[in-house]
Amino acid sequence: GQNIDQPTEMTATEGAIVQINCTYQTSGFNGLFWYQQHAGEAPTFLSYNVLDGLEEKGRFSSFLSRSKGYSYLLLKELQMKDSASYLCAVSAIYGGATNKLIFGTGTLLAVQP
Amino acid sequence: DAGVTQSPTHLIKTRGQHVTLRCSPISGHKSVSWYQQVLGQGPQFIFQYYEKEERGRGNFPDRFSARQFPNYSSELNVNALLLGDSALYLCASSLVGGVGSGANVLTFGAGSRLTVL
């Protein structure tokens, strides 16, 4: 089967650092994605990891360990606008295409002043 | 360059009715996927189409169907609507690359919010 686990809610302070963890079990692994979703809006792409290690992109970094089925999203220098739901998603291979995403329920991050 | 566009943005239907949702992918993207997102949950995979062929189907009943047109736009159809079909329906497009390719990144549209009364 396929399963994605991430915390339901987190709270952090403006200017601080927060780490959102994600564990997964899946077959046909083809990469792990993080998306940001503000209330009432579409998910927007943040990062993509297919190999083990850390990918850094500005204030956002994402880490992957395939052997442990584990990823985290690290947000630095938090801003109020970072308050959103953060979705961990695993890409699974099937048939002739490679784009099926299995999403977790999302982690609702609240950034406080 | 236009992103993924979906229509309508909001609609209200009653139980038993039928709905058609439409999606235009980013120019050059040949893969279109549909997801259902219920409030407070992550998106759930419904369908993927690539080059006008169904490449995958999620765990949804036969009341859900879709198709992709020669210009790569797509429609999602839901028959015999139930209250539980109320959700945000997201369309996403992508290139399709090999294993581990960044071409597989999905870009989502703003969604169609369906309310079934």
Side-chain angles (χ1 to χ4, degrees):
Chain A
Q2 296 163 323
N3 191 47
I4 313 284
D5 285 315
Q6 54 181 129
T8 305
E9 296 181 351
M10 296 183 72
T11 302
T13 304
E14 193 175 13
I17 299 173
V18 69
Q19 178 174 313
I20 303 173
N21 296 323
C22 172
T23 57
Y24 66 89
Q25 291 179 311
T26 188
S27 56
F29 179 81
N30 184 33
L32 189 136
F33 294 79
W34 285 95
Y35 281 82
Q36 179 192 60
Q37 187 175 28
H38 286 98
E41 299 182 9
T44 55
F45 170 74
L46 289 178
S47 68
Y48 171 55
N49 294 69
V50 64
L51 299 176
D52 291 352
L54 188 69
E55 294 282 342
E56 297 187 80
K57 190 185 296 184
R59 295 190 299 114
F60 295 80
S61 303
S62 57
F63 172 83
L64 175 66
S65 169
R66 289 172 295 170
S67 62
K68 296 182 179 178
Y70 168 71
S71 173
Y72 67 73
L73 179 70
L74 194 71
L75 293 78
K76 304 175 186 176
E77 301 170 11
L78 281 172
Q79 302 175 8
M80 298 299 291
K81 68 178 182 179
D82 296 329
S83 294
S85 181
Y86 290 86
L87 299 163
C88 174
V90 173
S91 176
I93 301 171
Y94 67 95
T98 57
N99 293 65
K100 175 183 178 182
L101 289 187
I102 300 135
F103 283 88
T105 56
T107 298
L108 187 60
L109 174 66
V111 179
Q112 298 179 340
Chain B
D1 200 13
V4 178
T5 57
Q6 293 187 242
S7 63
T9 54
H10 295 82
L11 68 166
I12 299 174
K13 294 284 187 178
T14 56
R15 282 178 295 176
Q17 284 189 312
H18 163 270
V19 68
T20 297
L21 307 178
R22 296 178 175 83
C23 172
S24 293
I26 290 173
S27 178
H29 285 191
K30 298 181 179 180
S31 175
V32 171
S33 300
W34 288 95
Y35 287 79
Q36 180 197 63
Q37 187 175 25
V38 174
L39 194 63
Q41 300 293 317
Q44 297 293 313
F45 173 76
I46 310 175
F47 285 109
Q48 187 200 357
Y49 277 79
Y50 177 63
E51 288 284 13
K52 301 178 288 294
E53 292 186 1
E54 182 183 305
R55 291 304 183 96
R57 183 188 183 109
N59 188 24
F60 281 80
D62 292 343
R63 299 185 295 108
F64 288 76
S65 64
R67 54 180 175 167
Q68 186 176 33
F69 299 100
N71 66 354
Y72 302 108
S73 67
S74 178
E75 283 183 354
L76 175 70
N77 295 282
V78 187
N79 294 321
L81 284 168
L82 303 174
L83 295 180
D85 295 331
S86 296
L88 179 68
Y89 288 85
L90 295 164
C91 173
S93 76
S94 71
L95 301 168
V96 176
V99 174
S101 168
N104 298 321
V105 174
L106 295 184
T107 300
F108 285 87
S112 295
R113 184 164 296 282
L114 171 65
T115 301
V116 182
L117 302 177

